[in-house]
Amino acid sequence: MYPAFCGTRVAPTEVDLRMRICHVTDFLPELHQIAGGAEYAVRRVVDEQIGMNLDVHVVTATRELPGKRPPGNSVFEMRRLDALAPRLSYAIKSLYLPFDPLAGRGLTRALRAIRPDVVHFHNLHFCTPSIINRAKRMSLPTIMTVYDYWTLCPSFMLLTADGKLCERGHGSHCVDCVGSRRARLLRPLKQALFSLRKPLFEKALASVDRLVALSQASKNLL
C-alpha cells in the first residue's frame, strides 16, 4: 500500500507505527446527498484500509445527512463557497477557476490535526484541486485517483461537440463545446476564462506526487 512513500521509522514500541492515511474527497455515501460511483469507490478503499488495520482519516465537505457513523478514525469537514451561491460558485469553480479558500483552510486545519504519512485525494469538483497545494506546503506526500477527465475537460467527457475524442484537452476552444448555446453575448469572456483554465488546473495537478488511473486505457489517454 503506497510503497513509494513507505520507509523505516525507528520509535518506541508504544508508539502507533501504523501508516496514517488521510483521504480527501468532495463527498461520501451516507454523509452527503451526492454520491456516485467515485464516492462509493472511495468508501470501499477506506473500509478496506481500515480492515488492514491502517490508521485512516477522512476529510470531506460539510456533512449533509445526520445519523450515520462516518468511516475512519476521524472525519474532518471542509466548508465551501457553494453555500454562499450554490449554482454560480460551482459553475465558476468547475468550468474556469478551481479555487475555494474555505475548503483550503478546512483542509489545512485537518492536516495539522491528523499529521498523515500520505494524503490521498479523490474527486475535488466542489472543493477544487487548488487545495492539493495545502498538503504540499506541509511537505506531505500526495496521491490522486483520477475518476474522470474533468481535470482536462470542463465537460468531463473529453469529447468534441460532434462526439469525437478531443485530442487538445482544455483551452480557449472549449467555448465551442461547453455552453456554446447559452449566454452568447458572453462568449469572449468565456473564451478568456477557458484559456486560463489549462494552466490553473495543470499547476494544481503538478504538485501531486502520484496519479492513479482506474484502467490502462485511462492511463494511456491521460
Side-chain angles (χ1 to χ4, degrees), residues 118-136:
V118 58
V119 184
H120 190 155
F121 291 97
H122 300 273
N123 268 358
L124 298 176
H125 302 157
F126 287 79
C127 294
T128 73
S130 65
I131 66 174
I132 296 172
N133 193 44
R134 300 291 180 130
K136 298 308 297 181

Side-chain angles (χ1 to χ4, degrees), residues 31-98:
L31 298 184
H32 301 97
Q33 295 175 347
I34 299 177
E39 287 71 37
Y40 279 95
V42 177
R43 181 62 187 261
R44 185 164 58 249
V45 170
V46 169
D47 290 341
E48 288 178 354
Q49 291 180 344
I50 293 173
M52 296 169 64
N53 198 34
L54 299 174
D55 188 6
V56 182
H57 303 259
V58 175
V59 183
T60 187
T62 304
R63 183 173 180 154
E64 298 170 344
L65 303 176
K68 297 290 186 178
R69 183 183 182 279
N73 292 329
S74 68
V75 174
F76 292 80
E77 298 181 354
M78 297 178 287
R79 297 172 57 210
R80 310 188 321 273
L81 291 175
D82 305 58
L84 304 178
R87 292 186 179 180
L88 179 61
S89 63
Y90 173 69
I92 292 176
K93 291 190 302 180
S94 177
L95 292 177
Y96 311 117
L97 306 175

Side-chain angles (χ1 to χ4, degrees), residues 161-195:
D162 55 2
K164 297 180 180 179
L165 177 66
C166 178
E167 298 182 351
R168 293 188 290 176
H170 46 189
S172 60
H173 53 274
C174 291
V175 74
D176 298 323
C177 298
V178 181
S180 59
R181 298 181 181 180
R182 297 192 300 269
R184 294 185 178 183
L185 292 178
L186 296 179
R187 179 183 171 88
L189 175 60
K190 292 192 291 184
Q191 188 171 20
L193 290 172
F194 276 131
S195 68

Side-chain angles (χ1 to χ4, degrees), residues 99-149:
F99 297 105
D100 194 317
L102 294 182
R105 286 199 293 268
L107 178 60
T108 297
R109 288 193 296 267
L111 294 179
R112 287 173 178 170
I114 298 169
R115 299 177 63 187
D117 295 309
V118 58
V119 184
H120 190 155
F121 291 97
H122 300 273
N123 268 358
L124 298 176
H125 302 157
F126 287 79
C127 294
T128 73
S130 65
I131 66 174
I132 296 172
N133 193 44
R134 300 291 180 130
K136 298 308 297 181
R137 291 178 189 175
M138 301 173 67
S139 300
L140 295 172
T142 54
I143 273 181
M144 184 174 187
T145 297
V146 181
Y147 294 94
D148 54 41
Y149 302 117

